[in-house]
Amino acid sequence: MSLRRGAGPAPIVVDRREEAEIALAREIIALVQERRRVVIGLATGSTPAGVYREIARLRAEERIDFGAVETFNLDEYLDLPRDHAHTFARWTRERFHAPLGISSERAHCPPSDDYESQIRDAGGIDLQILGIGRNGHIAFNEPGSTRESRTREVELHAWTREDAAAAFGGLESVPHRAMTMGVATILEARKLRVLAFGPRKVEIMKRVLEDPIGPEIPATFLREHRDLVLWLDREAAARI
Ligand code: GLP
């Protein structure tokens, strides 16, 4: 692997994505076993799904109590009915909160007018799970999002809507707007754990790691974080 320009730790490249999923699931389980009251930031999308499956499996095997865990979802589509099949709130309830027995009062989701103060009141996010969009977005911080951005409403980028089209049964059904934690909100999490898998992420991961840090590729800001772990599989790391 060649050396990257700019700050940031070297990514961990795994042969199979399951290795990263298991490592992150075990880290989260260990945090919960140690402290019980842990605040976790949740990403959605195809990337973190295996991590949630693995946490649910380990938790059932080892009987770990997630009852005091609190979570904050990164983002949410706007203009969908609250219980629409494609809300991220529903996605995380089915894959994370329900299997782990986390009550809805502890499962915070945008949209919300006071999301930033809810995060502060919870003591801040201990560990934030993140995937990366094909255009370098984190959560729905699309290209152009600044280092100082906070939780807000955003317009979705054309690629983001295209990538969601299959799930929604057609581009015309994909919302145009969303609410997302900002880049500053995300960088305040004490630990950032980032995953990128598969050939679709190869071009963007090269830019995330090698381009100058800035709003053009919001994921480049992750390189400024002091406790970042980035896992890539061989396919996503092919050009690094
Ligand atoms: C989504 C989410 C992001 C996610 C990204 C990548 O729309 N808002 O949080 O990281 O796009 O999705 P996937 O993991 O399916 O590639």
Side-chain angles (χ1 to χ4, degrees), residues 116-239:
E116 295 278 336
S117 53
Q118 287 179 34
I119 295 172
R120 272 196 302 277
D121 291 349
I125 293 171
D126 294 306
L127 185 148
Q128 175 67 58
I129 303 167
L130 283 168
I132 291 181
R134 236 176 358 118
N135 60 3
H137 74 206
I138 42 174
F140 278 139
N141 291 284
E142 302 284 29
S145 301
T146 65
R147 167 76 177 77
E148 294 74 33
S149 56
R150 291 279 167 189
T151 302
R152 67 201 187 288
E153 291 185 15
V154 292
E155 287 286 323
L156 296 178
H157 187 271
W159 289 10
T160 303
R161 294 190 62 248
E162 275 169 29
D163 285 349
F168 277 88
L171 187 60
E172 59 292 343
S173 307
V174 181
H176 288 265
R177 299 188 311 139
M179 183 171 272
T180 182
M181 280 188 205
V183 175
T185 324
I186 291 169
L187 291 181
E188 277 170 8
R190 286 182 273 277
K191 296 175 189 293
L192 295 182
R193 299 295 181 258
V194 187
L195 305 160
F197 303 134
R200 275 173 63 243
K201 300 292 166 74
V202 67
E203 297 302 327
I204 193 60
M205 288 318 301
K206 182 174 174 57
R207 297 197 61 187
V208 167
L209 292 170
E210 299 184 2
D211 273 21
I213 294 175
E216 202 183 324
I217 307 281
T220 56
F221 289 117
L222 299 176
R223 283 155 44 196
E224 297 182 351
H225 196 274
R226 286 182 303 139
D227 189 348
L228 165 73
V229 179
L230 166 60
W231 282 281
L232 303 175
D233 67 0
R234 293 254 166 240
E235 289 177 320
R239 294 199 57 214

